[in-house]
Amino acid sequence: MTPSREPERRARDVLDPVHFDALAGGAGSERTLTGNEDAFVRRRLRPRVLRGPGTPDLSTHLPGARLAAPVVVAPTAFHRLAHRAGEVATGEGVAAAHGLLTVSMMATTAVEDIAETGAALWFQLYVQPDRAFTADVVARAEAAGCRAIVLTVDSPVRGRHVRDERHRFTDLPAGLVCENMRGRDGRLRDLVVDPDLGWDAVAWLRGTTSLPVLVKGVLHPADARLAVEHGVDGVVVSNHGGRQLDGALATLDALPAVVDAVAGRVPVLLDGGVRSGVDALVALALGADAVMVGRPVLWGLALSGADGVRAVLDDLADALAHAMALAGAHRPADLTPDLVVVP
Ligand SMILES: Cc1cc2nc3c(=O)[nH]c(=O)nc-3n(C[C@H](O)[C@H](O)[C@H](O)COP(=O)(O)O)c2cc1C
Ligand SMILES: CC(C)CC(=O)C(=O)O
C-alpha cells in the first residue's frame, strides 16, 4: 500500500464497514476510481533549477473566494457517516485551515448550521425537476453566505455503487437526514437525479441567483466550451470520484483538452485522486487553477473530526509549497506543462 493509502486504511479501521464502503467506493468495476489515482502515479516531474523560487506564494483567486492555497474541499454527501459531528466538524476544520468547503446538497447538516462554523462555503446543487423547491434551496444557500453554486452535471442517472449493492445499503441510519432537502413546508424531499436536464438548466440557475455558477463533472472539451458559452464562472473537471460512469477517463488525463478549450476564460478545477502535494502540483502544472479533494477530507474527519480535516488541508498546502520550491516555482502560475512528463 502506498503511503497515500494510509489514511484510508486507518479510516477503514474506525468506521462501520458498510459506511466505509459507502464513502470509499466507486461505480461498477471501480476502474475509474483507481484510474484517477493511477494517472498521477504515471506522471514524473522535470523540475527547473536555480530559479530562486523563494518562499512559495500559493494565493489563489476563485469565484467568490480568495484562498491561501489552491485547494478546495469537494462536495461529499453524508459526513455524519464519517463522524458524529458531521459537516459541522468539517466546517470547523476548514475554517481553521482558512480553506473553502463545498457543501453537498446531500449533507447531513443544514447549510445554515455549517455556515455558523465561519468556513468559507460554496454550495453544490443537483437541479431538481421541482424548480420552485430547487430555487428555495439556492436561496437558502445564498442567505447562509455561500459564495458560489457548484452545479453537478455528471449525474443524469445514479452510478451503480457495487459495494452498497453488496451490503444492501440503501438508506441512511435512523436519525440522519439530508437537511438541505427540507422544503419551506418542513417536508423532506428525496433526491431526484434528472435524466432530462440540459444546458437550459444553467440559464435557469443564472436567472435564480446572482451567485457565480460553476459546473462540476465535465470531461469532454466540447462540454467545457459549451459551459463557457453558457456563461459559467468555472469548470470542474471531475468524474465524481469514479462514482458515476465506470470506465470514464481519469480526470488528470481529461484535464489538458479541457484547459485548451476553456482557454483561460474561466477557472478550471480538477478533482479525483489528488492525494499529495505532488499530485496537486501536477494538476496545476497541467493547467488546473485549483484542485478539489474529496475522500482524504472524509478520512481526516473520520479519524479526528475537525482537527483531522484541518490537518489534511494544512498538510496538503504545506506539501504543495514544498514540492513547488523543489520544482523551482514561486507561484502556481510558474507551474507549466513542460514540468510534467510520462516517462
Ligand atoms: C462519499 C462521497 C460522496 C459524494 N457526494 C457528492 C455529492 O453529493 N455531490 C457531488 O457533486 N459530488 C459528490 N461526490 C464526488 C466528489 O465531489 C468528488 O468529485 C470526488 O470525491 C473527488 O474524488 P476524490 O474523492 O478522489 O478526491 C462524492 C464523493 C464521495 C466519495
Ligand atoms: C446521494 C448521492 C447522489 C450523493 C453523491 O453524489 C455520491 O454519493 O456520489
Side-chain angles (χ1 to χ4, degrees):
M1 194 176 278
T2 60
S4 65
R5 306 304 300 245
E6 183 62 15
E8 176 176 335
R9 194 192 55 71
R10 290 198 289 137
R12 184 198 293 265
D13 289 343
V14 301
L15 290 175
D16 175 314
V18 175
H19 298 165
F20 171 80
D21 275 343
L23 302 174
S29 69
E30 300 192 337
R31 67 179 63 173
T32 295
L33 171 64
T34 52
N36 281 342
E37 289 188 13
D38 291 347
F40 285 100
V41 176
R42 282 202 307 278
R43 263 69 178 191
R44 290 294 181 273
L45 293 168
R46 186 164 56 184
R48 300 300 304 268
V49 297
L50 295 178
R51 291 197 145 189
T55 306
D57 171 7
L58 304 192
S59 55
T60 300
H61 193 207
L62 293 176
R66 269 190 190 287
L67 296 178
V71 177
V72 179
V73 178
T76 52
F78 314 146
H79 288 198
R80 290 181 68 197
L81 288 184
H83 190 278
R84 68 194 131 68
E87 289 84 359
V88 167
T90 312
E92 288 168 356
V94 170
H98 305 289
L100 174 63
L101 168 62
T102 313
V103 173
S104 167
M105 189 178 193
M106 302 307 280
T108 40
T109 308
V111 63
E112 294 84 357
D113 294 338
I114 306 171
E116 296 253 310
T117 64
L121 305 179
W122 283 350
F123 187 85
Q124 176 267 328
L125 185 75
Y126 290 108
V127 169
Q128 301 295 283
D130 182 345
R131 292 294 168 92
F133 168 71
T134 312
D136 281 348
V137 175
V138 172
R140 268 180 73 182
E142 193 163 352
C146 294
R147 297 155 178 215
I149 301 294
V150 177
L151 173 64
T152 298
V153 295
D154 60 13
S155 305
V157 292
R158 289 209 194 190
R160 294 193 60 181
H161 296 178
V162 282
R163 301 194 207 188
D164 292 345
E165 288 175 7
R166 201 184 322 125
H167 296 305
R168 297 198 171 76
F169 179 70
T170 49
D171 296 311
L172 288 173
L176 297 198
V177 292
C178 295
E179 286 292 345
N180 300 316
M181 296 300 288
R182 205 182 278 286
R184 284 178 195 280
D185 51 7
R187 187 168 63 81
L188 281 166
R189 267 70 170 178
D190 287 331
L191 177 73
V192 180
V193 292
D194 183 357
D196 294 326
L197 209 63
W199 283 105
D200 55 321
V202 174
W204 174 81
L205 189 54
R206 281 237 162 274
T208 336
T209 178
S210 55
L211 291 176
V213 173
L214 296 89
V215 288
K216 170 175 179 283
V218 169
L219 295 173
H220 200 297
D223 285 333
R225 222 170 277 120
L226 280 167
V228 175
E229 285 164 18
H230 283 82
V232 304
D233 300 285
V235 172
V236 185
V237 176
S238 174
N239 53 34
H240 215 111
R243 290 162 76 87
Q244 285 296 114
L245 176 61
D246 187 37
L249 193 63
T251 49
L252 190 67
D253 291 325
L255 178 67
V258 170
V259 168
D260 278 354
V262 169
R265 289 174 288 176
V266 296
V268 175
L269 289 83
L270 168 139
D271 76 21
V274 176
R275 301 292 176 261
S276 69
V278 168
D279 293 346
L281 186 155
V282 167
L284 297 176
L286 293 182
D289 293 284
V291 295
M292 282 184 157
V293 281
R295 293 178 184 82
V297 173
L298 293 173
W299 308 148
L301 175 65
L303 289 165
S304 318
D307 290 344
V309 170
R310 179 190 184 157
V312 166
L313 296 175
D314 284 348
D315 290 352
L316 202 50
D318 288 351
L320 171 59
H322 184 240
M324 278 173 56
L326 287 170
H330 177 60
R331 280 184 303 267
D334 300 334
L335 297 168
T336 44
D338 54 293
L339 302 182
V340 178
V341 290
V342 179

